[in-house]
Amino acid sequence: MKSKSKGPVIQRRDQVDGTTTDQRLLDSRGPTDWVHTDPWRVLRIQSEFVEGFGALADLGPAVSVFGSARTPVDDPSYPQAQEVGRALAAAGFAVITGGGPGVMEAANRGASEAGGVSVGLGIELPFESGLNDWVDIGINFRYFFVRKTMFVKYSQGFVVLPGGFGTLDETFEALTLAQTQKVTAFPVVLLGSAYWSGLVEWLSGRVLDDGKISPADLDRLVVTDDVDEAVARMVEARASS
């Protein structure tokens, strides 16, 4: 019976291929499809975790600031995010964002101008270009789930300004992790009551009334217009950790 071992994998009968991994690696004339297969992706994923952990291991206390990449400079959210970045840096936090424009740029800018550590965790997207100029430590990721791990692992809380699907995704992921006790003492502050009030009313009304969440789940969420209050929540979480 025809068989072949490829590391821990055994191929037999018709599943035996005619080339070796080393051959495909070293023979530049061969096909390149192999670099897009799932086993190779595992190594890429692993390398992204290693790069992220290595770059951020000595970061110290940090807070992630989320919000829309589409926020223009003249939108009220931009100077508010800048103020958040500045205040967090003054409180001794590194500021982590998605590294893009809009709210992310503003928060990075505020942190950098205040002499704090400004971090950008970028993601490969078809419609956004690179990290903003206010990022002092930047990492670009291929995979969303690796990037999300970095946000949660190295942050002690989230400050969330007005944003769209991406902002909502990051916010609800944090709330889910807190709900399921994967993270503890992890405040999520929604900054901008006019923007967030409809969402909070829906959660505290329909969703809670239908028994889809518990009152304790809502207690994890803070809505405010006060930057100082948002930062104070992060300081409290740091003290209790």
Side-chain angles (χ1 to χ4, degrees):
M1 178 178 62
K2 184 170 62 173
S3 69
K4 183 172 105 176
S5 295
K6 297 181 66 172
V9 178
I10 297 174
Q11 297 176 334
R12 289 176 175 161
R13 291 176 283 274
D14 293 338
Q15 296 304 310
V16 176
D17 60 27
T19 61
T20 68
T21 304
D22 279 339
Q23 177 187 349
R24 290 193 299 272
L25 175 64
L26 298 173
D27 187 351
S28 60
R29 296 167 296 176
T32 60
D33 290 348
W34 71 283
V35 301
H36 305 296
T37 61
D38 287 342
W40 183 250
R41 287 191 183 100
V42 171
L43 296 180
R44 282 182 170 167
I45 292 165
Q46 176 180 294
S47 73
E48 291 205 344
F49 276 114
V50 170
E51 288 293 339
F53 292 158
L56 302 178
D58 297 322
L59 187 61
V63 172
S64 287
V65 180
F66 296 126
S68 178
R70 305 181 186 189
T71 301
V73 176
D74 58 356
D75 186 286
S77 291
Y78 191 98
Q80 189 176 46
Q82 200 171 345
E83 184 183 354
V84 169
R86 190 180 300 115
L88 287 169
F93 290 103
V95 173
I96 304 175
T97 79
V103 163
M104 295 175 280
E105 174 188 287
N108 284 135
R109 180 176 179 177
S112 183
E113 288 179 337
V117 180
S118 174
V119 180
L121 307 181
I123 187 71
E124 181 182 2
L125 293 174
F127 46 79
E128 289 179 16
S129 54
L131 299 173
N132 67 69
D133 292 337
W134 296 99
V135 169
D136 300 321
I137 300 174
I139 312 169
N140 277 306
F141 294 94
R142 285 188 178 94
Y143 301 101
F144 265 112
F145 59 87
V146 179
R147 180 186 187 229
K148 287 179 176 182
T149 299
M150 301 301 156
F151 278 129
V152 176
K153 178 172 174 57
Y154 293 103
S155 297
Q156 295 186 333
F158 290 170
V159 177
V160 188
L161 285 89
F165 285 164
T167 302
L168 291 169
D169 174 54
E170 291 153 344
T171 302
F172 278 102
E173 179 172 41
L175 291 171
T176 302
L177 290 172
Q179 180 193 54
T180 55
Q181 299 181 21
K182 300 297 184 182
V183 294
T184 56
F186 196 91
V188 178
V189 177
L190 303 182
L191 198 57
S193 58
Y195 188 84
W196 296 112
S197 59
L199 173 64
V200 174
E201 288 172 6
W202 176 70
L203 290 172
S204 59
R206 181 60 183 269
V207 181
L208 181 61
D209 291 345
D210 281 1
K212 303 299 189 293
I213 58 175
S214 68
D217 294 329
L218 288 176
D219 292 340
R220 309 176 197 281
L221 199 58
V222 176
V223 183
T224 184
D225 295 305
D226 188 345
V227 170
D228 289 338
E229 181 183 356
V231 175
R233 295 280 183 165
M234 303 301 145
V235 173
E236 289 172 10
R238 179 175 60 190
S240 64
S241 63

